[in-house]
Amino acid sequence: MNQIEKTLSIIKPDAIERNLSEDIKSIFLKNGFQILNEKKIKISKEEAEQFYLVHQSKPFYNELCNYLSSGPILVMILTKENAVSENRALMGATDPKDAKEGTIRKKYGLSIDKNSVHGSDSTENAVKEINFFFKD
Ligand code: CDP
Ligand code: MG
């Protein structure tokens, strides 16, 4: 069933550094997402470790947490029908080399680690991730 959902999107340090946030936001808007809330922040390594806790056993966990805490990020709450899967589709595959034409990671991603955007992977994780960054 089609449901209006919310999902968490993050524009990662590599994209902020290249001043791509306005371009990426306009892609979301053109694709029917509304941006309900947004803030530009810099998180600590400990916060990144907490955010990516599901990946703690992965070999890339330490580098991933170093990276997400290495510079400013833009966190956003996006909404539309089926926002979680629609955002995943628009982002493209984790490795930009595998991402399809027309996806954000294909257009802007530099590598599997510097892949420009994060998006929640389930409605349950979307709620958790939104609460992580927007507690009020
Ligand atoms: O971000 P996504 O949900 O597509 O991928 P993930 O499997 O949840 O991994 C989280 C993040 O870890 C990815 O976006 C990559 O930036 C990073 N990663 C990595 O650096 N090396 C890998 N082999 C896999 C993921
Ligand atoms: Mg993921």
Side-chain angles (χ1 to χ4, degrees), residues 12 51-52 54-55 58 88 91 94 105 118-121 125 129:
K12 294 184 178 182
F51 180 72
Y52 273 130
V54 293
H55 291 308
K58 309 271 173 63
R88 296 290 302 187
M91 285 162 57
T94 305
R105 283 168 165 171
H118 166 86
S120 310
D121 63 3
N125 284 336
E129 292 181 357

Side-chain angles (χ1 to χ4, degrees), residues 65-115:
C65 297
N66 280 337
Y67 172 62
L68 199 71
S69 58
S70 68
I73 59 175
L74 186 73
V75 292
M76 295 177 286
I77 302 173
L78 303 182
T79 188
K80 76 176 281 194
E81 261 191 19
N82 303 321
V84 172
S85 59
E86 290 283 305
N87 179 40
R88 296 290 302 187
L90 187 57
M91 285 162 57
T94 305
D95 189 339
K97 288 204 297 285
D98 303 326
K100 289 192 188 126
E101 212 56 60
T103 64
I104 295 170
R105 283 168 165 171
K106 170 75 179 180
K107 190 163 187 199
Y108 297 119
L110 300 173
S111 56
I112 191 163
D113 49 329
K114 296 184 174 176
N115 58 7

